[in-house]
Amino acid sequence: MEASGGNEGRRSLERPPLSNGEAYAHDIDFPPGGGASEPWWSFNSTAEQVLPQIETARAAAAGLTPEQIGSSGRVVIEAKAMPNFLAASHYPGDLFGAAGLIPVGSRTSTGIRRQRKAADQENQPAKTYLLSADADSLARLEDIYRSGGDLDDSIREDALKFTGFALEGPDQVLKMGEGAVPAIVDSHFAFEAVLHPQLIENGEVDPLAGERVRADFVSYIEGLGGIVNIDFAHLEADMWYLPVLLPRDPAVLRRAAAFSQLRVLRPTPQFRDLRPSGEGLPDINVIVAKTPLTTRRIAIFDGGINVDALGLSGWVTEHDLTNRPRLQTHHEHGATVTSAALFGSLDDQGKAPHTAIDHYRIWPMPSGVESDIELPWVLDRIEEIVARGEHKIVVITLAPALNAEDSDPHLWTASLDRLALEHDVLFVVAAGNVGDLEPDLNRILVPADLINGLSVGSCSEKDGLAKRDGYSCVGPGRPGAMTAPTGVQFGGNLDATPFAALFPDGTVGACEGTSYAAPVVARACAELDVVPKHVVHPDLLGGWRCRSPSNKEEPDEAPR
């Protein structure tokens, strides 16, 4: 038999011929697999564990006031499944149907994975179901576990998948973060509330029930001395997102979080802090091409830019969406971010712009909007502009200062994911600049946890191996998009190689931040968009490279 490879000095590899291959032309009886399928533990041991929990949940539900339960007459319980049953094929629909429980969502959790022939594994990924229940369905759930296993096989198997049941209450709903004091408005704490979707048994949405629950919640909060700002209420993914002002009393906060259909109550996030800029960078030329290479434009929502003063009237159009005077810090941020989208870092000599910019000034917010606690106003403006269908690429650099969570997507994240899908838009989002904080506080900021877009971190070097800047936020993202940020791009580092950008006074200065990495990626995507002659879908534009384009463009010439 010949050895593969004939070069001297190379190790030969003997490859025997295929034996009995003709057997595959006929049916083959394979031996049965070894070992019993899960679950192999007893029903009684499971019931012994969960029955006291169900009894406690029923007692807690019975102790709620009519105002806390509302007109729906239902509560929400948490049902924690074992890590062994994380796959979609393990969905316990037969148990839910038998008990009359309506799934309204789920959260990631951890638990002990049981193994038949090895040691159990702790802290394994698991799932906790959120189930809408009334008094009758809670009683039926208890009866199932009291049956001693005398059930249909499918219901019995589903019942064996759970380790815990609990009424969702203030301890799960009220999320105060790391102890930071909420913003204060009119002597009240500013919060945002999220209400559970109202579904019927087949999983369809009941809009009228949702309206009733929202009205119940408003009445309940007003009874506690609070205020719900209906003007900025958002319905997203069948859940109501509501700005709420609550008395500055911890006891009142817990009572507010006891509303039975409340999913999350957390302090209202404010805008992200802006990183300081560095010194001026002399002897850098700004090269402006004669005309944009495409009629399509990049949209940026930021702090404004004085187009005429910078000689960019042929490339940038400012749309002033607010009636308040410019703030110097945010005006500077708006100018430098726009510069990054036009030129990249200006110390790369000879790089000319190729795609024009629509800059929407959204900061400071107009009179009548309470500072940045009403971030839904900004989100409304983004949705309004994107819905016009005039932009394929949108850059988000000013956004909430709120870390992404594993459980539920934030209003900004859910909204941008929906807009990207509905309007074929690529959102390029700065990942955030708190990567040097403690673990969990250094995680990407919303809406960088979006799925239908690009989240961009910052790296220090322009060439060679990409290395995350210490200030750049880290992942993971949420389930469905765990790899986050999507990638990194040069965003500058004042202590190493700063990002060179155009300042409002026309000078070039030193900057750092993911706010510059993101528009550079948007610029690269726009460059990809102008190369083909046919229309490019945003999904293709999302296939960007971590580095800016390697070609050096000559002034007044198209990219090569």
Side-chain angles (χ1 to χ4, degrees), residues 2-13:
E2 291 186 347
S4 62
N7 294 337
E8 292 184 2
R10 179 181 298 178
R11 182 173 61 88
S12 63
L13 177 64

Side-chain angles (χ1 to χ4, degrees), residues 53-131:
Q53 301 172 7
I54 297 174
E55 293 171 355
T56 301
R58 290 187 66 188
L64 295 176
T65 67
E67 292 77 16
Q68 290 170 333
I69 294 180
S71 59
S72 70
R74 305 183 72 86
V75 298
V76 174
I77 64 171
E78 297 182 334
K80 186 174 181 179
M82 298 176 61
N84 303 59
F85 306 105
L86 190 59
S89 60
H90 294 144
Y91 180 73
D94 291 322
L95 174 66
F96 296 162
L101 301 169
I102 302 176
V104 294
S106 65
R107 294 193 178 110
T108 58
S109 59
T110 58
I112 299 176
R113 180 187 296 277
R114 301 188 64 177
Q115 300 193 101
R116 188 178 181 88
K117 297 182 179 181
D120 293 343
Q121 296 176 318
E122 297 184 354
N123 298 319
Q124 297 301 300
K127 179 183 293 185
T128 295
Y129 294 93
L130 304 178
L131 307 171

Side-chain angles (χ1 to χ4, degrees), residues 482-548:
M482 294 298 288
T483 302
T486 315
V488 293
Q489 176 59 276
F490 175 66
N493 188 303
L494 295 182
D495 296 328
T497 306
F499 191 98
L502 192 61
F503 277 59
D505 61 0
T507 62
V508 176
C511 307
E512 68 175 13
T514 59
S515 287
Y516 308 107
V520 170
V521 169
R523 183 187 190 276
C525 293
E527 183 179 34
L528 175 64
D529 191 27
V530 302
V531 173
K533 295 182 179 179
H534 57 82
V535 176
V536 179
H537 193 274
D539 287 346
L540 176 59
L541 296 183
W544 59 288
R545 292 179 291 176
C546 285
R547 303 295 182 187
S548 56

Side-chain angles (χ1 to χ4, degrees), residues 22-37:
E22 68 278 3
Y24 287 91
H26 310 285
D27 292 336
I28 302 175
D29 293 327
F30 291 98
S37 60

Side-chain angles (χ1 to χ4, degrees), residues 20 38 59 83 93-94 116 139 167 170-171 176 216 224 270 285 314 320 339 348 362 373 402 426 430 460 471 530 540:
N20 298 325
E38 296 177 325
D94 291 322
R116 188 178 181 88
L167 179 73
D171 291 337
M176 294 298 294
D216 292 339
L224 297 176
Q270 298 176 285
N285 298 320
D320 199 338
S339 171
D348 291 338
I362 45 86
I373 66 160
L402 181 67
L426 175 66
S460 302
Y471 63 77
V530 302
L540 176 59

